[in-house]
Amino acid sequence: MPPVWLMRQAGRYLPEYRATREKAGSFLDLCYNPALAEEVTLQPIRRYGFDAAILFSDILVVPHGLGQKVWFEEGIGPLLDPITTEAGLAQLRPGLQRKRLEPVYETVSRLSHSLPAETALIGFAGAPWTVATYMVGGRSTADQAATRAWAYRDPAGFQKLIDILVEGTIDHLLAQIEAGAEAVQIFDTWAGALPEQEFARWVIEPTRKIVAALRASFPRVPVIGFPRNAGPRYPDYVEATSVDAVGLDTSMPCGWAREALGGKVTLQGNLDPLALVAGGEALRGAASAILDTMAGVPFIFNLGHGIVPQTPPEHITELVTLVREKR
Ligand code: 1CP
């Protein structure tokens, strides 16, 4: 009987999201408007009755809260004033400016009252490595080259950026939990870009520190890790970080994940977002295969990455019905 929610379940595929987004002005204005951010978090819950709501925000509010210039350009995505050397870290303030992010925590607090009692509220942050790729690259990059190059050229300098992000991320997640988040997810979208040694240093170690700090204050709040495209390194990640649950990306064979991790950690995933776009037999076949493979181990049905804007909203109704009929 798996619970179901979907990554990027609030977003541009929903007409009601597009309408609210227009009202808000810029994307960051929406993230920092508690009434409107609450509204877009609730929209997919009203439509589909998912078992969990994920806070509407973005991973890039953390660099913004650290003082970096961040803005969103229509058709491009996030843009940042890049930091590419240790000297560039002087742009940042000494710690997370909670004041700047106060509207985000107010959104969480509102949601903890407005969500139905049976709907879990998930807070989130980007993992330090993934957030660093945007801070250093200045935007979304295909291969995270500038960030990987800095990490090789000057590991001690790059470590300082990661340390700032570890502290800021702990602070940001603690504030969300204090405001009412019942679980948190750490998104490491670009984890798969790193070779083994680098993966241990820049993906596993920072995440381990974050999980340990959260657990010290809130031992019962589950932490979901999402080391996207980490492939055969998933078991090391799970073991070393001690996350409670792990999000499987689309490329991960469910049978392999079940064999390696089933029962040790809750598994979450991993329908291809494009199967959701296609709908029909492709969707039913792919979703059923996942549900059949994961039957009997702790499992949360989700996508292997986020919903894409061209997804027909009615395909999600079909998916949720299918997951629930399997119960
Ligand atoms: O114009 C719009 O409305 C912007 C689209 C959009 C949305 C809906 C962006 C810009 N961010 C979001 C919200 C968002 N982002 C959520 C809200 C909750 C939900 O899931 O419904 C979450 C959890 C995120 C997380 C996020 N932002 C990640 C990690 C997860 C992932 O998808 O890999 C990343 C990498 C970002 C950065 C980001 N924000 C937005 C864009 C276009 C990007 C760049 C993505 C890229 O590099 O391809």
Side-chain angles (χ1 to χ4, degrees):
M1 299 217 316
V4 52
W5 68 279
L6 303 179
M7 290 194 267
R8 259 185 265 143
Q9 63 190 19
R12 282 172 296 171
Y13 74 103
L14 285 178
E16 58 269 35
Y17 170 82
R18 293 195 299 269
T20 311
R21 168 90 160 72
E22 210 150 298
K23 231 192 312 181
S26 76
F27 177 76
L28 274 183
D29 287 338
L30 178 54
C31 290
Y32 293 139
N33 182 319
L36 296 184
E38 176 190 23
E39 166 60 22
V40 292
T41 305
L42 292 171
Q43 285 167 349
I45 305 304
R46 288 192 201 112
R47 236 187 217 258
Y48 306 113
F50 290 120
D51 296 295
I54 182 158
L55 166 71
F56 185 85
S57 178
D58 198 79
I59 65 169
L60 298 172
V61 300
V62 165
H64 194 233
L66 288 169
Q68 192 171 15
K69 192 168 171 229
V70 178
W71 69 107
F72 285 77
E73 204 75 60
E74 219 54 60
I76 299 178
L79 293 173
L80 304 88
D81 200 358
I83 296 173
T84 54
T85 60
E86 189 180 341
L89 294 174
Q91 268 196 47
L92 302 179
R93 309 230 188 101
L96 192 72
Q97 310 294 299
R98 274 206 187 198
K99 204 147 183 276
R100 198 176 240 192
L101 300 187
E102 209 45 64
V104 176
Y105 312 134
E106 190 190 328
T107 307
V108 174
S109 165
R110 282 167 170 255
L111 284 163
S112 71
H113 297 106
S114 54
L115 276 168
E118 66 276 14
T119 312
L121 176 54
I122 303 175
F124 73 92
W129 164 252
T130 284
V131 174
T133 68
Y134 293 92
M135 294 177 79
V136 177
R139 58 189 299 157
S140 180
T141 53
D143 51 10
Q144 300 76 51
T147 318
R148 284 155 61 206
W150 180 4
Y152 282 118
R153 186 178 68 237
D154 171 26
F158 185 66
Q159 182 76 55
K160 290 191 177 145
L161 171 57
I162 292 292
D163 290 345
I164 290 169
L165 282 168
V166 166
E167 287 313 307
T169 305
I170 291 169
D171 213 8
H172 187 50
L173 290 172
L174 285 175
Q176 292 176 56
I177 295 169
E178 284 157 15
E182 297 165 289
V184 293
Q185 178 151 336
I186 301 171
F187 287 94
D188 220 339
T189 301
W190 303 115
L194 293 173
E196 196 174 358
Q197 304 300 322
E198 303 291 292
F199 184 87
R201 182 158 183 188
W202 309 123
V203 170
I204 290 184
E205 186 53 20
T207 305
R208 186 192 68 72
K209 285 185 185 146
I210 294 168
V211 176
L214 299 179
R215 204 152 280 154
S217 300
F218 294 100
R220 277 186 292 279
V221 173
V223 182
I224 310 167
F226 179 54
R228 182 167 162 266
N229 290 345
R233 293 165 297 185
Y234 262 87
D236 282 351
Y237 173 91
V238 165
E239 177 118 0
T241 61
S242 92
V243 289
D244 300 276
V246 73
L248 307 173
D249 65 79
T250 299
S251 72
M252 174 63 65
C254 282
W256 187 89
R258 183 195 164 114
E259 196 63 32
L261 297 167
K264 289 186 190 148
V265 68
T266 297
L267 300 173
Q268 173 176 283
N270 76 340
L271 182 74
D272 187 345
L274 275 301
L276 193 55
V277 173
E281 201 34 57
L283 170 58
R284 285 191 295 277
S288 298
I290 293 169
L291 288 163
D292 291 346
T293 305
M294 293 304 190
V297 295
F299 178 62
I300 300 166
F301 193 95
N302 207 306
L303 301 179
H305 200 195
I307 295 179
V308 294
Q310 68 269 33
T311 306
E314 62 277 13
H315 290 181
I316 296 172
T317 312
E318 210 183 306
L319 173 66
V320 171
T321 306
L322 185 150
V323 174
R324 297 221 159 117
E325 276 172 356
K326 285 266 180 184
R327 287 181 179 188

PDB file of all heavy atoms in Angstrom, residues 39-63:
ATOM      1  N   GLU A  39      -0.962  28.585  -1.464  1.00  0.00           N
ATOM      2  CA  GLU A  39      -1.973  28.237  -2.463  1.00  0.00           C
ATOM      3  C   GLU A  39      -1.410  27.246  -3.500  1.00  0.00           C
ATOM      4  O   GLU A  39      -2.013  26.211  -3.765  1.00  0.00           O
ATOM      5  CB  GLU A  39      -2.474  29.535  -3.133  1.00  0.00           C
ATOM      6  CG  GLU A  39      -3.280  29.360  -4.401  1.00  0.00           C
ATOM      7  CD  GLU A  39      -4.561  28.539  -4.248  1.00  0.00           C
ATOM      8  OE1 GLU A  39      -5.078  28.438  -3.116  1.00  0.00           O
ATOM      9  OE2 GLU A  39      -5.031  27.992  -5.267  1.00  0.00           O
ATOM     10  N   VAL A  40      -0.232  27.506  -4.062  1.00  0.00           N
ATOM     11  CA  VAL A  40       0.258  26.590  -5.103  1.00  0.00           C
ATOM     12  C   VAL A  40       0.708  25.249  -4.524  1.00  0.00           C
ATOM     13  O   VAL A  40       0.666  24.236  -5.222  1.00  0.00           O
ATOM     14  CB  VAL A  40       1.366  27.204  -6.005  1.00  0.00           C
ATOM     15  CG1 VAL A  40       0.803  28.314  -6.868  1.00  0.00           C
ATOM     16  CG2 VAL A  40       2.550  27.682  -5.231  1.00  0.00           C
ATOM     17  N   THR A  41       1.085  25.227  -3.251  1.00  0.00           N
ATOM     18  CA  THR A  41       1.402  23.935  -2.623  1.00  0.00           C
ATOM     19  C   THR A  41       0.130  23.095  -2.500  1.00  0.00           C
ATOM     20  O   THR A  41       0.160  21.873  -2.670  1.00  0.00           O
ATOM     21  CB  THR A  41       1.994  24.144  -1.204  1.00  0.00           C
ATOM     22  OG1 THR A  41       3.120  25.016  -1.291  1.00  0.00           O
ATOM     23  CG2 THR A  41       2.430  22.822  -0.587  1.00  0.00           C
ATOM     24  N   LEU A  42      -0.995  23.776  -2.207  1.00  0.00           N
ATOM     25  CA  LEU A  42      -2.260  23.062  -1.989  1.00  0.00           C
ATOM     26  C   LEU A  42      -2.936  22.633  -3.296  1.00  0.00           C
ATOM     27  O   LEU A  42      -3.701  21.664  -3.301  1.00  0.00           O
ATOM     28  CB  LEU A  42      -3.234  23.955  -1.195  1.00  0.00           C
ATOM     29  CG  LEU A  42      -2.836  24.244   0.261  1.00  0.00           C
ATOM     30  CD1 LEU A  42      -3.765  25.308   0.854  1.00  0.00           C
ATOM     31  CD2 LEU A  42      -2.892  22.966   1.100  1.00  0.00           C
ATOM     32  N   GLN A  43      -2.650  23.332  -4.387  1.00  0.00           N
ATOM     33  CA  GLN A  43      -3.369  23.040  -5.642  1.00  0.00           C
ATOM     34  C   GLN A  43      -3.319  21.560  -6.049  1.00  0.00           C
ATOM     35  O   GLN A  43      -4.377  20.963  -6.299  1.00  0.00           O
ATOM     36  CB  GLN A  43      -2.846  23.932  -6.774  1.00  0.00           C
ATOM     37  CG  GLN A  43      -3.346  25.370  -6.644  1.00  0.00           C
ATOM     38  CD  GLN A  43      -2.626  26.347  -7.546  1.00  0.00           C
ATOM     39  OE1 GLN A  43      -1.596  26.025  -8.148  1.00  0.00           O
ATOM     40  NE2 GLN A  43      -3.152  27.565  -7.642  1.00  0.00           N
ATOM     41  N   PRO A  44      -2.138  20.948  -6.100  1.00  0.00           N
ATOM     42  CA  PRO A  44      -2.138  19.526  -6.506  1.00  0.00           C
ATOM     43  C   PRO A  44      -2.778  18.601  -5.449  1.00  0.00           C
ATOM     44  O   PRO A  44      -3.249  17.525  -5.793  1.00  0.00           O
ATOM     45  CB  PRO A  44      -0.655  19.195  -6.695  1.00  0.00           C
ATOM     46  CG  PRO A  44       0.091  20.263  -5.986  1.00  0.00           C
ATOM     47  CD  PRO A  44      -0.771  21.481  -5.965  1.00  0.00           C
ATOM     48  N   ILE A  45      -2.799  19.041  -4.203  1.00  0.00           N
ATOM     49  CA  ILE A  45      -3.426  18.214  -3.159  1.00  0.00           C
ATOM     50  C   ILE A  45      -4.947  18.211  -3.370  1.00  0.00           C
ATOM     51  O   ILE A  45      -5.595  17.166  -3.299  1.00  0.00           O
ATOM     52  CB  ILE A  45      -3.086  18.758  -1.744  1.00  0.00           C
ATOM     53  CG1 ILE A  45      -1.569  18.877  -1.561  1.00  0.00           C
ATOM     54  CG2 ILE A  45      -3.713  17.889  -0.646  1.00  0.00           C
ATOM     55  CD1 ILE A  45      -0.794  17.610  -1.802  1.00  0.00           C
ATOM     56  N   ARG A  46      -5.487  19.385  -3.680  1.00  0.00           N
ATOM     57  CA  ARG A  46      -6.936  19.466  -3.947  1.00  0.00           C
ATOM     58  C   ARG A  46      -7.314  18.618  -5.142  1.00  0.00           C
ATOM     59  O   ARG A  46      -8.310  17.932  -5.157  1.00  0.00           O
ATOM     60  CB  ARG A  46      -7.317  20.911  -4.264  1.00  0.00           C
ATOM     61  CG  ARG A  46      -7.284  21.814  -3.072  1.00  0.00           C
ATOM     62  CD  ARG A  46      -7.966  23.147  -3.444  1.00  0.00           C
ATOM     63  NE  ARG A  46      -7.529  24.170  -2.519  1.00  0.00           N
ATOM     64  CZ  ARG A  46      -6.763  25.205  -2.857  1.00  0.00           C
ATOM     65  NH1 ARG A  46      -6.383  25.397  -4.114  1.00  0.00           N
ATOM     66  NH2 ARG A  46      -6.407  26.070  -1.947  1.00  0.00           N
ATOM     67  N   ARG A  47      -6.521  18.688  -6.175  1.00  0.00           N
ATOM     68  CA  ARG A  47      -6.839  17.979  -7.406  1.00  0.00           C
ATOM     69  C   ARG A  47      -6.706  16.468  -7.272  1.00  0.00           C
ATOM     70  O   ARG A  47      -7.520  15.716  -7.787  1.00  0.00           O
ATOM     71  CB  ARG A  47      -5.883  18.436  -8.505  1.00  0.00           C
ATOM     72  CG  ARG A  47      -6.561  18.984  -9.733  1.00  0.00           C
ATOM     73  CD  ARG A  47      -5.471  19.208 -10.767  1.00  0.00           C
ATOM     74  NE  ARG A  47      -5.703  20.395 -11.537  1.00  0.00           N
ATOM     75  CZ  ARG A  47      -6.193  20.379 -12.789  1.00  0.00           C
ATOM     76  NH1 ARG A  47      -6.496  19.254 -13.375  1.00  0.00           N
ATOM     77  NH2 ARG A  47      -6.367  21.512 -13.430  1.00  0.00           N
ATOM     78  N   TYR A  48      -5.631  16.027  -6.636  1.00  0.00           N
ATOM     79  CA  TYR A  48      -5.280  14.598  -6.685  1.00  0.00           C
ATOM     80  C   TYR A  48      -5.288  13.898  -5.337  1.00  0.00           C
ATOM     81  O   TYR A  48      -5.188  12.686  -5.281  1.00  0.00           O
ATOM     82  CB  TYR A  48      -3.882  14.418  -7.304  1.00  0.00           C
ATOM     83  CG  TYR A  48      -3.730  15.066  -8.654  1.00  0.00           C
ATOM     84  CD1 TYR A  48      -2.882  16.164  -8.841  1.00  0.00           C
ATOM     85  CD2 TYR A  48      -4.445  14.594  -9.754  1.00  0.00           C
ATOM     86  CE1 TYR A  48      -2.745  16.764 -10.085  1.00  0.00           C
ATOM     87  CE2 TYR A  48      -4.325  15.187 -10.999  1.00  0.00           C
ATOM     88  CZ  TYR A  48      -3.474  16.275 -11.158  1.00  0.00           C
ATOM     89  OH  TYR A  48      -3.342  16.868 -12.378  1.00  0.00           O
ATOM     90  N   GLY A  49      -5.334  14.640  -4.245  1.00  0.00           N
ATOM     91  CA  GLY A  49      -5.298  14.004  -2.924  1.00  0.00           C
ATOM     92  C   GLY A  49      -4.036  13.202  -2.658  1.00  0.00           C
ATOM     93  O   GLY A  49      -4.080  12.128  -2.059  1.00  0.00           O
ATOM     94  N   PHE A  50      -2.892  13.720  -3.084  1.00  0.00           N
ATOM     95  CA  PHE A  50      -1.621  13.033  -2.793  1.00  0.00           C
ATOM     96  C   PHE A  50      -1.457  12.807  -1.291  1.00  0.00           C
ATOM     97  O   PHE A  50      -2.012  13.558  -0.481  1.00  0.00           O
ATOM     98  CB  PHE A  50      -0.437  13.884  -3.273  1.00  0.00           C
ATOM     99  CG  PHE A  50      -0.295  13.993  -4.753  1.00  0.00           C
ATOM    100  CD1 PHE A  50      -0.344  15.240  -5.376  1.00  0.00           C
ATOM    101  CD2 PHE A  50      -0.098  12.874  -5.546  1.00  0.00           C
ATOM    102  CE1 PHE A  50      -0.203  15.364  -6.749  1.00  0.00           C
ATOM    103  CE2 PHE A  50       0.043  12.985  -6.921  1.00  0.00           C
ATOM    104  CZ  PHE A  50      -0.012  14.231  -7.533  1.00  0.00           C
ATOM    105  N   ASP A  51      -0.648  11.828  -0.936  1.00  0.00           N
ATOM    106  CA  ASP A  51      -0.399  11.551   0.482  1.00  0.00           C
ATOM    107  C   ASP A  51       0.560  12.547   1.110  1.00  0.00           C
ATOM    108  O   ASP A  51       0.663  12.612   2.337  1.00  0.00           O
ATOM    109  CB  ASP A  51       0.148  10.126   0.637  1.00  0.00           C
ATOM    110  CG  ASP A  51      -0.898   9.108   0.203  1.00  0.00           C
ATOM    111  OD1 ASP A  51      -1.949   9.029   0.859  1.00  0.00           O
ATOM    112  OD2 ASP A  51      -0.682   8.419  -0.817  1.00  0.00           O
ATOM    113  N   ALA A  52       1.299  13.274   0.283  1.00  0.00           N
ATOM    114  CA  ALA A  52       2.207  14.293   0.830  1.00  0.00           C
ATOM    115  C   ALA A  52       2.190  15.540  -0.037  1.00  0.00           C
ATOM    116  O   ALA A  52       2.027  15.459  -1.257  1.00  0.00           O
ATOM    117  CB  ALA A  52       3.636  13.748   0.908  1.00  0.00           C
ATOM    118  N   ALA A  53       2.364  16.678   0.621  1.00  0.00           N
ATOM    119  CA  ALA A  53       2.533  17.950  -0.078  1.00  0.00           C
ATOM    120  C   ALA A  53       3.987  18.348   0.104  1.00  0.00           C
ATOM    121  O   ALA A  53       4.539  18.198   1.195  1.00  0.00           O
ATOM    122  CB  ALA A  53       1.625  19.012   0.537  1.00  0.00           C
ATOM    123  N   ILE A  54       4.618  18.842  -0.977  1.00  0.00           N
ATOM    124  CA  ILE A  54       5.964  19.387  -0.822  1.00  0.00           C
ATOM    125  C   ILE A  54       5.854  20.901  -0.884  1.00  0.00           C
ATOM    126  O   ILE A  54       5.188  21.454  -1.756  1.00  0.00           O
ATOM    127  CB  ILE A  54       6.957  18.808  -1.858  1.00  0.00           C
ATOM    128  CG1 ILE A  54       8.366  19.383  -1.623  1.00  0.00           C
ATOM    129  CG2 ILE A  54       6.492  18.998  -3.304  1.00  0.00           C
ATOM    130  CD1 ILE A  54       9.494  18.541  -2.181  1.00  0.00           C
ATOM    131  N   LEU A  55       6.489  21.526   0.091  1.00  0.00           N
ATOM    132  CA  LEU A  55       6.521  22.989   0.152  1.00  0.00           C
ATOM    133  C   LEU A  55       6.843  23.570  -1.213  1.00  0.00           C
ATOM    134  O   LEU A  55       7.770  23.110  -1.882  1.00  0.00           O
ATOM    135  CB  LEU A  55       7.624  23.395   1.138  1.00  0.00           C
ATOM    136  CG  LEU A  55       8.049  24.865   1.105  1.00  0.00           C
ATOM    137  CD1 LEU A  55       6.949  25.736   1.682  1.00  0.00           C
ATOM    138  CD2 LEU A  55       9.361  25.041   1.860  1.00  0.00           C
ATOM    139  N   PHE A  56       6.137  24.592  -1.628  1.00  0.00           N
ATOM    140  CA  PHE A  56       6.515  25.301  -2.844  1.00  0.00           C
ATOM    141  C   PHE A  56       7.597  26.326  -2.506  1.00  0.00           C
ATOM    142  O   PHE A  56       7.362  27.273  -1.744  1.00  0.00           O
ATOM    143  CB  PHE A  56       5.329  25.995  -3.505  1.00  0.00           C
ATOM    144  CG  PHE A  56       5.739  26.593  -4.807  1.00  0.00           C
ATOM    145  CD1 PHE A  56       5.740  25.823  -5.949  1.00  0.00           C
ATOM    146  CD2 PHE A  56       6.229  27.882  -4.878  1.00  0.00           C
ATOM    147  CE1 PHE A  56       6.209  26.334  -7.157  1.00  0.00           C
ATOM    148  CE2 PHE A  56       6.701  28.403  -6.082  1.00  0.00           C
ATOM    149  CZ  PHE A  56       6.689  27.627  -7.214  1.00  0.00           C
ATOM    150  N   SER A  57       8.774  26.092  -3.060  1.00  0.00           N
ATOM    151  CA  SER A  57       9.911  26.989  -2.842  1.00  0.00           C
ATOM    152  C   SER A  57      10.933  26.613  -3.901  1.00  0.00           C
ATOM    153  O   SER A  57      10.554  26.067  -4.932  1.00  0.00           O
ATOM    154  CB  SER A  57      10.465  26.788  -1.420  1.00  0.00           C
ATOM    155  OG  SER A  57      11.594  27.609  -1.207  1.00  0.00           O
ATOM    156  N   ASP A  58      12.189  26.858  -3.668  1.00  0.00           N
ATOM    157  CA  ASP A  58      13.216  26.393  -4.601  1.00  0.00           C
ATOM    158  C   ASP A  58      14.518  26.171  -3.845  1.00  0.00           C
ATOM    159  O   ASP A  58      14.740  26.771  -2.784  1.00  0.00           O
ATOM    160  CB  ASP A  58      13.438  27.397  -5.736  1.00  0.00           C
ATOM    161  CG  ASP A  58      14.149  26.725  -6.913  1.00  0.00           C
ATOM    162  OD1 ASP A  58      13.475  26.024  -7.686  1.00  0.00           O
ATOM    163  OD2 ASP A  58      15.382  26.851  -7.007  1.00  0.00           O
ATOM    164  N   ILE A  59      15.386  25.329  -4.420  1.00  0.00           N
ATOM    165  CA  ILE A  59      16.670  25.084  -3.763  1.00  0.00           C
ATOM    166  C   ILE A  59      17.550  26.344  -3.771  1.00  0.00           C
ATOM    167  O   ILE A  59      18.469  26.457  -2.970  1.00  0.00           O
ATOM    168  CB  ILE A  59      17.431  23.893  -4.391  1.00  0.00           C
ATOM    169  CG1 ILE A  59      17.844  24.172  -5.838  1.00  0.00           C
ATOM    170  CG2 ILE A  59      16.611  22.607  -4.329  1.00  0.00           C
ATOM    171  CD1 ILE A  59      18.830  23.137  -6.399  1.00  0.00           C
ATOM    172  N   LEU A  60      17.256  27.289  -4.678  1.00  0.00           N
ATOM    173  CA  LEU A  60      18.130  28.462  -4.803  1.00  0.00           C
ATOM    174  C   LEU A  60      17.786  29.573  -3.836  1.00  0.00           C
ATOM    175  O   LEU A  60      18.440  30.621  -3.836  1.00  0.00           O
ATOM    176  CB  LEU A  60      18.152  28.929  -6.254  1.00  0.00           C
ATOM    177  CG  LEU A  60      18.729  27.830  -7.157  1.00  0.00           C
ATOM    178  CD1 LEU A  60      18.590  28.181  -8.619  1.00  0.00           C
ATOM    179  CD2 LEU A  60      20.187  27.537  -6.813  1.00  0.00           C
ATOM    180  N   VAL A  61      16.802  29.377  -2.960  1.00  0.00           N
ATOM    181  CA  VAL A  61      16.592  30.380  -1.899  1.00  0.00           C
ATOM    182  C   VAL A  61      17.742  30.329  -0.889  1.00  0.00           C
ATOM    183  O   VAL A  61      17.987  31.317  -0.199  1.00  0.00           O
ATOM    184  CB  VAL A  61      15.212  30.251  -1.177  1.00  0.00           C
ATOM    185  CG1 VAL A  61      14.056  30.415  -2.166  1.00  0.00           C
ATOM    186  CG2 VAL A  61      15.091  28.979  -0.366  1.00  0.00           C
ATOM    187  N   VAL A  62      18.469  29.201  -0.834  1.00  0.00           N
ATOM    188  CA  VAL A  62      19.604  29.154   0.116  1.00  0.00           C
ATOM    189  C   VAL A  62      20.756  30.069  -0.323  1.00  0.00           C
ATOM    190  O   VAL A  62      21.180  30.923   0.459  1.00  0.00           O
ATOM    191  CB  VAL A  62      20.042  27.700   0.437  1.00  0.00           C
ATOM    192  CG1 VAL A  62      21.401  27.651   1.114  1.00  0.00           C
ATOM    193  CG2 VAL A  62      18.982  27.039   1.324  1.00  0.00           C
ATOM    194  N   PRO A  63      21.246  29.958  -1.579  1.00  0.00           N
ATOM    195  CA  PRO A  63      22.241  30.969  -1.989  1.00  0.00           C
ATOM    196  C   PRO A  63      21.717  32.400  -1.857  1.00  0.00           C
ATOM    197  O   PRO A  63      22.477  33.298  -1.485  1.00  0.00           O
ATOM    198  CB  PRO A  63      22.551  30.620  -3.451  1.00  0.00           C
ATOM    199  CG  PRO A  63      21.773  29.414  -3.805  1.00  0.00           C
ATOM    200  CD  PRO A  63      21.092  28.893  -2.584  1.00  0.00           C
TER     201      PRO A  63
END
